Amino acid sequence: MGQVRVRRVQEEADAADGSRVLVDRVWPRGISKSAARLDRWCKEVAPSTELRHWYGHDAERFDEFRRRYRAELDDPERSAALEELRGYAADGDLTLLTATKEPGISHARVLADLLGG
């Protein structure tokens, strides 16, 4: 099992990143696909639009967001995507990429915690 990290997609790729997977539903503005250096864009694992809008990256709502998002991950499509991420993590280092300004209170952080990062 490799290390699971969370980074902003806007940051320069690093040799220690291992597999680089974007976990946002929407492609980040101002980032070209070549600059992102992705191994996969796994938009299926992202939280629902409704949950994202409710949360609004309000740190005071993070615990409730985490609970609701983990419940959403039981959805078959999201669950399958999460299993795919587990496969990446089992094969080596995995970096979950997001465009959010505060990755420490994002869905990517919740995913990393679930994957052992």
Side-chain angles (χ1 to χ4, degrees):
M1 182 84 159
Q3 182 177 4
V4 180
R5 298 176 187 85
V6 175
R7 296 186 63 206
R8 295 187 73 219
V9 69
Q10 295 88 342
E11 295 176 37
E12 189 70 31
D14 186 279
D17 285 346
S19 296
R20 292 172 50 87
V21 180
L22 178 65
V23 292
D24 290 351
R25 180 170 308 282
V26 178
W27 186 264
R29 278 187 241 167
I31 303 290
S32 70
K33 291 190 179 183
S34 61
R37 295 185 47 199
L38 299 180
D39 292 294
R40 169 95 159 82
W41 178 15
C42 190
K43 57 187 163 188
E44 303 84 8
V45 78
S48 67
T49 300
E50 297 81 14
L51 182 56
R52 263 188 324 107
H53 285 235
W54 170 83
Y55 175 44
H57 284 86
D58 180 345
E60 292 181 12
R61 292 184 173 183
F62 183 66
D63 288 338
E64 179 63 16
F65 168 77
R66 179 183 314 157
R67 187 191 69 72
R68 291 182 187 190
Y69 178 47
R70 288 180 74 151
E72 282 191 353
L73 290 170
D74 290 336
D75 169 80
E77 183 179 21
R78 285 187 184 92
S79 181
L82 181 60
E83 285 307 308
E84 183 180 346
L85 293 178
R86 280 195 173 97
Y88 278 105
D91 289 342
D93 292 336
L94 170 62
T95 299
L96 302 175
L97 300 168
T98 181
T100 184
K101 293 178 183 171
E102 296 186 53
I105 58 168
S106 71
H107 68 289
R109 176 76 267 152
V110 176
L111 290 170
D113 292 345
L114 287 171
L115 297 169

